[in-house]
Amino acid sequence: PRGNRKRDAGQQTFLQLPERFPGQPEVTEGLYLLADLKHDDLAIEEARRYYGQAAEASPDQYEAGLALMRLGGLELLEEDYEGALD
């Protein structure tokens, strides 16, 4: 459907941010939003990957902290308490 194409195109835009704007805060924000969308779609492994990338892109950004919190939450849900501490 048409809506899926628009959503996929939007998500592809988020993936291009690190290459197009290296070191910019928008990279962290975009990757966090992409991870959040994947999380909502229950694509947990993809969400985990993009949360990790968001956290690493600009660690001092607010969204980087949120990404780490979400990663920890995923670990807790899977009862991986050691992973949640990382």
Side-chain angles (χ1 to χ4, degrees):
R2 188 169 182 233
N4 286 343
R5 284 188 305 212
K6 285 186 175 185
R7 184 187 68 202
D8 292 345
Q11 291 180 7
Q12 191 62 33
T13 299
F14 287 133
L15 287 172
Q16 294 171 357
L17 288 173
E19 183 178 311
R20 293 184 65 200
F21 304 102
Q24 297 300 309
E26 291 79 7
V27 172
T28 299
E29 295 168 17
L31 290 170
Y32 175 81
L33 290 173
L34 178 58
D36 194 47
L37 290 169
K38 295 295 185 180
H39 197 165
D40 289 347
D41 288 343
L42 300 178
I44 301 303
E45 290 308 313
E46 287 180 272
R48 189 185 316 267
R49 178 177 49 220
Y50 298 128
Y51 284 137
Q53 289 178 13
E56 291 175 5
S58 291
D60 59 333
Q61 289 292 112
Y62 176 76
E63 288 79 4
L66 291 177
L68 290 172
M69 182 185 71
R70 290 284 183 95
L71 283 169
L74 289 173
E75 300 299 331
L76 284 174
L77 287 173
E78 294 174 352
E79 297 183 6
D80 178 5
Y81 304 116
E82 291 293 320
L85 290 173
D86 290 337

